[in-house]
Amino acid sequence: KKKASLQQSVISWKQTEAENQAASDTFGTLDGGKSLKPDSVTNLNLLFNSTCSCPALGKKKLYIGALFPMSGGWPGGQACLPAAQMALDLVNNRTDILPDYELELIYYDSMCDPGEATKLLYDLLYTEPIKIVLMPGCSSVSTLVAEAARMWNLIVLSYGSSSPALSNRQRFPTFFRTHPSATLHNPTRVQLFQKWKWTKIATIQQTTEVFTSTLDDLEERVKEAGIEISVRQSFLTDPAVAVKNLKRQDARIIVGLFYETEARKVFCEVYKEKLYGKKYVWFLIGWYADNWFKIKDPSINCTVEQMTEAVEGHVTTEIVMLNPETVRGASNLTSQEFLAQLMSKLGGKNPEETGGFQEAPLAYDAVWALALALNKTVGPLRAKGHHLEDFNYNNRDITAEIYRAMNTSSFEGVSGHVVFDAQGSRMAWTLIEQLQGGSYKKIGYYDSTKGNLGSKTASISVLPARTPTKRRSHSG
């Protein structure tokens, strides 16, 4: 009966047969006859059963359990939390979206630390009220949350996770994200390598899962394109030896995968080893702050002038996170109007020094994706005699309806068109920029869904015509 009712819901939304099967397969594993959830949670459900129906201005409350990193490797909550609150305020004032409900955010600071997040996740799950969805930020925390969520029949929607490892429906069956996978950078990089006729590249990465899995994906893609990764280096906290090895092995075209704090360490060493200039091209991640190399950092002993010299000319690939078009989407705001309101909410803080400012549109659109999906479930649930406020951690039917609604999301957001692929990851464009004269210039866009590499107005500055053929012999 469950499967039949789920299929009727799918038909009502005119999903394709393939989407039908994907959704059915996902929840088939959860409906396998045994509860995946500990007995203690079942007991808690009896206690919490009525918590979502507390009236607020005549509305029933639905609770979102969120983790916003205000510090740590990616302090994205500094801008993403205000953006999410902006979206919640607008949603709760709409009469055409969840008119009988009010969404409320219950959030903690995860510090982008899985250990801290474990304790906070326990608090979210074992403290009333019941949460209808979980919303984590950075990849390491999302991995923990998304793997545990299936045990409580919870949908997880992340606004700041780029780890390719999260694109795994077997491991994370209820996970969605408005932030695209970091592997979206790789087709762009390969296109550029081919465009400039480079056949050998080098890599240097920080040893964390997000960068390791991104590099694994890049290795497969360059191999298919006939490009060799001739030098591979990695580091945990100190990149000095890895950079020395790049110099010793005559690396010229170098892909760097590391967080912003480590990027400063890397390029301080790059300056010392003179691994920059016209003979070298560095490819970096584009989501650092625009002035990342000028920020005072006690962990390095290079001046701002030295850092500026070392980073000049590097190329970045960055997911397009702000809609370049002037369109009013689901929230009735253009992307520029959203930015103006966010700046006002931040109270004059410098955007370049506010963590998560670039990702703020993704957090804003995550709340809208959730609200629109929940709104889409109201009719089908009512037809089955269910209501959103009936949700508890045993209720797979309501989770399945929310999953199907999320899976068919398609709307214009302030970050662009919001749609998810089969693994629950956001599909988006990639922006290509180069640091020229100390500031970033747009040089192109790449549409990974169509394989189109489009040029922009700025020209490419001082790139080698081809991969150098010189090879040094070395031991080890």
Side-chain angles (χ1 to χ4, degrees), residues 114-185:
E116 178 69 14
T118 301
K119 177 173 72 71
L120 298 176
L121 179 62
Y122 183 91
D123 290 343
L124 284 170
L125 294 172
Y126 286 88
T127 305
E128 62 176 284
I130 284 178
K131 320 306 184 292
I132 199 165
V133 72
L134 297 176
M135 191 177 288
C138 52
S139 295
S140 57
V141 171
S142 291
T143 301
L144 167 82
V145 172
E147 199 154 31
R150 64 187 297 169
M151 312 288 276
W152 281 266
N153 294 303
L154 278 163
I155 298 293
V156 179
L157 177 57
S158 175
Y159 54 88
S161 303
S162 61
S163 173
L166 287 161
S167 294
N168 184 330
R169 271 285 173 251
Q170 282 69 47
R171 188 177 169 194
F172 310 110
T174 62
F175 180 75
F176 294 88
R177 51 178 161 184
T178 51
H179 194 305
S181 168
T183 55
L184 201 64
H185 294 264

Side-chain angles (χ1 to χ4, degrees), residues 41-89:
V41 182
T42 305
N43 296 332
L44 282 170
N45 285 332
L46 299 174
L47 179 65
F48 296 165
N49 228 0
S50 62
T51 57
C52 284
S53 57
C54 306
L57 300 175
K59 293 185 175 184
K60 304 176 190 72
K61 284 197 175 184
L62 301 174
Y63 296 93
I64 304 166
L67 297 173
F68 286 95
M70 309 305 286
S71 57
W74 179 67
Q78 294 173 11
C80 288
L81 174 56
Q85 290 170 326
M86 282 171 53
L88 273 178
D89 290 343

Side-chain angles (χ1 to χ4, degrees), residues 198-438:
W198 294 332
T199 57
K200 289 178 183 174
I201 65 168
T203 63
I204 176 172
Q205 65 149 126
Q206 182 183 355
T207 50
T208 62
E209 184 181 40
V210 59
F211 300 127
T212 300
S213 48
T214 301
L215 185 55
D216 289 344
D217 179 79
L218 178 62
E219 188 170 359
E220 290 180 14
R221 292 177 186 274
V222 296
K223 186 176 180 180
E224 290 175 3
I227 299 167
E228 176 190 353
I229 300 181
S230 57
V231 184
R232 297 172 180 81
Q233 292 296 318
S234 61
F235 65 93
L236 188 59
T237 55
D238 185 356
V241 173
V243 172
K244 280 184 171 67
N245 286 340
L246 288 174
K247 178 74 171 182
R248 185 168 61 90
Q249 297 181 57
D250 200 31
R252 300 291 184 90
I253 313 301
I254 308 164
V255 177
L257 300 172
F258 28 72
Y259 285 116
E260 180 179 319
T261 48
E262 278 65 33
R264 285 189 283 273
K265 296 178 187 177
V266 168
F267 275 87
C268 185
E269 297 301 323
V270 165
Y271 177 82
K272 294 172 186 176
E273 296 295 328
K274 303 302 176 192
L275 200 65
Y276 64 93
K278 293 185 178 181
K279 293 193 297 184
Y280 303 95
V281 181
W282 281 85
F283 282 81
L284 302 183
I285 301 162
W287 40 254
Y288 304 158
D290 282 351
N291 66 337
W292 65 271
F293 51 93
K294 296 179 182 177
I295 294 173
K296 291 182 180 179
D297 190 333
S299 67
I300 64 173
N301 56 2
C302 291
T303 66
V304 170
E305 291 74 23
Q306 290 170 337
M307 291 291 288
T308 302
E309 183 179 340
V311 300
E312 177 65 20
H314 75 263
V315 176
T316 66
T317 53
E318 177 184 351
I319 309 302
V320 176
M321 298 183 188
L322 188 69
N323 196 337
E325 304 292 332
T326 306
V327 294
R328 294 187 185 279
S331 69
N332 202 32
L333 287 183
T334 67
S335 55
Q336 293 307 311
E337 288 169 345
F338 160 77
L339 280 184
Q341 291 188 21
L342 178 61
M343 290 291 290
S344 175
K345 196 168 180 69
L346 290 173
K349 291 180 186 174
N350 184 351
E352 292 186 354
E353 296 175 2
T354 304
F357 188 81
Q358 292 185 75
E359 293 82 6
L362 305 180
Y364 182 85
D365 283 347
V367 172
W368 278 97
L370 173 62
L372 292 170
L374 291 176
N375 189 62
K376 197 187 286 187
T377 67
V378 172
L381 285 174
R382 187 183 294 121
K384 299 178 184 179
H386 296 312
H387 302 88
L388 283 169
E389 66 269 26
D390 298 333
F391 177 78
N392 61 50
Y393 301 138
N394 282 319
N395 199 317
R396 299 184 185 93
D397 284 347
I398 293 178
T399 305
E401 295 291 356
I402 300 172
Y403 175 91
R404 293 178 186 281
M406 287 294 302
N407 206 36
T408 55
S409 295
S410 181
F411 67 93
E412 287 300 323
V414 297
S415 64
H417 190 68
V418 178
V419 63
F420 302 109
D421 66 17
Q423 284 75 46
S425 295
R426 173 77 177 276
M427 295 163 67
W429 284 56
T430 311
L431 168 66
I432 307 157
E433 294 185 315
Q434 187 183 33
L435 192 73
Q436 300 178 8

